[in-house]
Amino acid sequence: MSEIPKLTLKKITKLNLPSILQLNVKPEQRNFVASNAKSIAEAHFNKDAWFRAIYANNKPIGFVMISDTLLKYKSNPNHRPSYYLWRFMIDAKFQGKGYGKEAMKLVINHVKNRPKAKELLLSHSKSYGNTGEFYKKCGFEYNGREIDDELLMSLKL
Ligand SMILES: CC(C)(COP(=O)(O)OP(=O)(O)OC[C@H]1O[C@@H](n2cnc3c(N)ncnc32)[C@H](O)[C@@H]1OP(=O)(O)O)[C@@H](O)C(=O)NCCC(=O)NCCS
């Protein structure tokens, strides 16, 4: 595998939105993750959504969205926040180069720095091939629980 360029998570603005909307997974992966257009639209109606474009050097290569309940309930001092990986994709052209794993490190680091963050959760459908193997390589473990027929994975922070 060739050397991985510097990856960053950048805000999505009016200026870079068109290039983020052009990022796509492989045709056979399309039912694994929503389109970025759908995710960005949903993010604007969900106060717990935190979303960023993934860049390699100055090129957009992917998208991530998490649910960060503290964004929604920040006025409640008793709220116990939860952090959940909601969407994660690397454009088909950039897959298999180690970018996904490297980008996940940035996401984990972001969550680690959020208040009272103890774990990052995610779930994936049983029919999504071996996506779980990718998440295992990023440090997630199955916790034996299921939600809506999806397998839950957790990474302790
Ligand atoms: C899953 C995804 C994010 C992986 O991104 P990527 O950049 O191709 O992954 P990387 O190149 O960083 O791979 C990291 C490691 O995971 C492994 N891996 C990646 N995808 C895998 C898969 N589908 N099955 C098994 N292992 C996988 C790689 O072999 C690599 O292993 P290594 O560290 O031992 O070399 C990307 O394939 C993707 O966007 N898929 C479609 C969207 C999707 O499925 N999102 C998750 C919804 S639940």
Side-chain angles (χ1 to χ4, degrees):
M1 202 178 282
S2 55
E3 205 174 305
I4 299 172
K6 184 176 164 49
L7 299 197
T8 46
L9 301 179
K10 291 194 184 174
K11 279 193 178 169
I12 297 175
T13 65
K14 200 166 85 175
L15 288 180
N16 65 359
L17 177 66
S19 58
I20 311 309
L21 296 181
Q22 279 176 12
L23 301 175
N24 284 306
V25 295
K26 295 176 183 170
E28 65 271 24
Q29 297 171 329
R30 282 200 187 131
N31 62 339
F32 294 4
V33 67
S35 69
N36 292 342
K38 182 174 182 208
S39 295
I40 293 166
E42 286 177 339
H44 284 88
F45 297 101
N46 285 279
K47 290 198 171 103
D48 57 323
W50 180 90
F51 61 104
R52 290 289 186 273
I54 301 166
Y55 276 72
N57 291 330
N58 285 323
K59 202 188 268 285
I61 60 151
F63 174 83
V64 58
M65 180 155 99
I66 65 171
S67 162
D68 175 336
T69 59
L70 201 63
L71 296 174
K72 189 172 177 179
Y73 299 109
K74 52 183 168 242
S75 58
N76 177 353
N78 299 321
H79 177 66
R80 284 174 49 202
S82 70
Y83 301 95
Y84 186 94
L85 186 77
W86 194 348
R87 303 276 156 73
F88 190 77
M89 64 80 73
I90 299 291
D91 180 86
K93 291 190 292 298
F94 300 100
Q95 291 183 17
K97 299 171 187 286
Y99 294 176
K101 200 164 139 187
E102 209 54 32
M104 188 67 81
K105 285 186 196 162
L106 299 178
V107 176
I108 293 166
N109 204 38
H110 165 77
V111 177
K112 257 188 193 158
N113 287 306
R114 295 289 294 148
K116 297 183 194 163
K118 293 194 173 56
E119 69 175 337
L120 177 58
L121 288 165
L122 65 83
S123 67
H124 72 83
S125 164
K126 293 173 192 169
S127 61
Y128 289 180
N130 43 10
T131 309
E133 290 305 309
F134 166 73
Y135 290 129
K136 277 193 203 166
K137 295 205 164 157
C138 295
F140 289 84
E141 290 174 349
Y142 289 104
N143 64 8
R145 287 165 53 208
E146 291 187 17
I147 185 165
D148 298 334
D149 215 29
E150 296 208 341
L151 302 171
L152 268 167
M153 299 184 88
S154 150
L155 183 138
K156 302 286 177 208
L157 300 168

